[in-house]
Every structure is written in structure tokens, then in C-alpha cells.
Amino acid sequence: MSPKVQCTPSDLCSSTHSLGRLSPNILSPVSEAGDSSEVYSEVLHEKAQTFSGGEAALMQNSKHKPRCEKPGLRGRRRMKANDRERHRMHNLNSALNALRSILPALPEDAKLTKIETLRFAHNYIWALTETLRMADQLGHTPDYLPLPASNLSSPTSVTSSEWDSASPADSCCWTSADFDPRNSYTSSPGKNCKTLTRHESSVFPLTFYVKSFCGEKDLRNTWQ
DNA sequence: TAGGCCATCTGGTCCT
DNA sequence: AGGACCAGATGGCCTA
């Protein structure tokens, strides 16, 4: 997926050009310090009032302008609540970005969406857990006994209904398609099933998992 | 142009 | 009372 270019408040704060075109309500600073404040909103409001008529009209018609501008205490509370909500959502997005950063690298133009990130992370954790479990079992079992995929069970308590569909473990085996974040949890359990070879079924799930995202590069040695 | 994704606003609810 | 959280609504941007 190619990156989307969207105007975020943090982007706009440093751009007087953009500042002149957008409502002051979307220009609250969003910093890690959490300095969104009523004061800042008021400063921006004052700033907006200094614009010419044409610019003011643009701001009136701009995106996310308050639908009902309430004067007085109620309006003040609403603006503060908006600031808090904005900051809260930015924190949530920061957490999502942090999560993206620790997931296996994807091609440059393949930034995961929010839902894809969550599903990918869920699958990834599952794969890691299975890898550890299989490694532990293989350490105590003869190497001629590769673990059949059907023995795998999802370690998570997340129900299929919570994720709209089944976990990867519900499939009879692993395929690249099973681990594509774009179709994980969206296809029916058992779909795209194929019979793995004895060798394939003995490979740690994480290897399949990583390979499915990193092209043909076999990261087996890297991840074990 | 339709649909997906996203940021933001908003009012309601719950909690401290 | 005020803050956190949530879900619905809205509108912009982008891609197929």
C-alpha cells in the first residue's frame, strides 16, 4: 500500500501556508509531551481571526470545523475535550507505529493499516509462540518426528468471533496466504489448504511466517 | 467515481 | 466536576 499523504495537525503546525487554510480546531499541537491545551487552542483561534476574509472563509469551510460553536463555558469544555481526544488518538497511533516497527520488515510501500497491523501482530505472536513451543518439543523428541501441523494449537484466548474469523492454527497447514496480513482472519478456516511435505511440516512456523512477508529470502538462520 | 482509510469532532457513559 | 473511553458522523485523500 502506498503511503497516504494526509494533513495532520502536527504537519500543519510548522506550515503557515496550511495554517491559513485550515480550521484552528485541527491545529492543536501534538507532541509526546502532551502539551495540547486550551491555551493553545485559544492562541490559534486568535491567529485565525487575523486572517483576511478569503482565508477566513476557507477556514469556515475547511475540514473538521466545529459543527456547533458553543460560546462560553460549554464551548470551552468541548474544545478541551477535543484536544484530549485528539491527543488520546495520537497516543494510540504512536503505539500502533511502535507495534509496526517491531514487526518483520515489509517493503517500503507496504505500510500496514491499523487493522492489518493488529492482525499481523496477532499472527506474529502466535507464530513466535508456536516456534518456541516446537523448539522446546523438538529438544526432547527424536528428530525423525516432525510435528504435524495439525498438532498446533493457537496459544491465544482470542476467539474467532473477536477477530471475525479463525486464527491461523485453524487451517490444516501453513501457507503463505495464511499469513498474509491482508487476508489473515478474513478467509474461511481451511481455505487454501495444501498438504505439506514431511520436510515442510518440520520447519518452524516462524520461518514460513517470515518468508511470506520477506519474499524469497529464507530467514531461517536469522530467526533461529 | 466508489470504496477504503484516516483524522477529527461530538455527545454519551463511566469512573475517580 | 472533569477526564478517559467509546462509537457514530463527517469529510478529505488516495487508489482501483
Side-chain angles (χ1 to χ4, degrees):
Chain A
M1 179 180 293
S2 58
K4 293 180 174 60
V5 180
Q6 300 214 15
C7 293
T8 63
S10 52
D11 294 331
L12 298 170
C13 285
S14 59
S15 169
T16 54
H17 174 70
S18 295
L19 185 63
R21 296 189 58 239
L22 294 162
S23 163
N25 297 69
I26 70 169
L27 295 174
S28 299
V30 180
S31 68
E32 292 305 319
D35 55 352
S36 63
S37 65
E38 185 179 3
V39 173
Y40 190 85
S41 296
E42 288 176 357
V43 167
L44 288 168
H45 191 67
E46 276 186 29
K47 200 165 185 175
Q49 287 178 335
T50 66
F51 289 128
S52 64
E55 286 172 316
L58 273 173
M59 292 168 69
Q60 287 292 319
N61 295 330
S62 65
K63 176 186 181 182
H64 303 139
K65 108 177 180 33
R67 276 164 247 169
C68 51
E69 294 194 15
K70 302 179 187 66
L73 182 61
R74 187 172 168 82
R76 269 173 131 71
R77 285 179 181 167
R78 189 61 260 173
M79 287 180 71
K80 282 182 70 175
N82 288 347
D83 278 343
R84 286 194 305 272
E85 177 66 7
R86 220 178 295 126
H87 190 245
R88 193 180 71 85
M89 295 309 295
H90 286 147
N91 282 338
L92 184 61
N93 288 338
S94 294
L96 266 172
N97 285 332
L99 182 58
R100 283 189 187 101
S101 70
I102 64 170
L103 291 174
L106 290 167
E108 192 61 33
D109 62 341
K111 182 186 177 185
L112 297 175
T113 65
K114 292 179 175 181
I115 186 66
E116 286 169 352
T117 300
L118 291 175
R119 286 171 172 161
F120 187 2
H122 176 262
N123 284 2
Y124 185 51
I125 291 169
W126 174 84
L128 287 170
T129 305
E130 285 303 318
T131 297
L132 289 175
R133 191 181 69 80
M134 291 178 74
D136 186 54
Q137 287 194 21
L138 288 174
H140 302 288
T141 55
D143 57 2
Y144 63 82
L145 265 181
L147 293 172
S150 58
N151 282 357
L152 294 173
S153 59
S154 175
T156 176
S157 60
V158 176
T159 64
S160 58
S161 60
E162 286 176 271
W163 287 96
D164 294 330
S165 60
S167 77
D170 291 335
S171 298
C172 66
C173 61
W174 298 297
T175 67
S176 292
D178 292 331
F179 294 102
D180 188 325
R182 287 170 176 75
N183 59 27
S184 293
Y185 299 101
T186 59
S187 57
S188 304
K191 260 187 180 175
N192 301 323
C193 275
K194 70 170 185 179
T195 303
L196 294 181
T197 66
R198 185 184 181 88
H199 170 71
E200 283 174 322
S201 65
S202 67
V203 179
F204 288 154
L206 185 57
T207 303
F208 278 112
Y209 189 72
V210 171
K211 281 178 71 176
S212 70
F213 286 110
C214 301
E216 294 304 310
K217 183 182 179 183
D218 191 342
L219 298 180
R220 196 172 312 172
N221 296 327
T222 305
W223 288 81
Q224 289 181 18

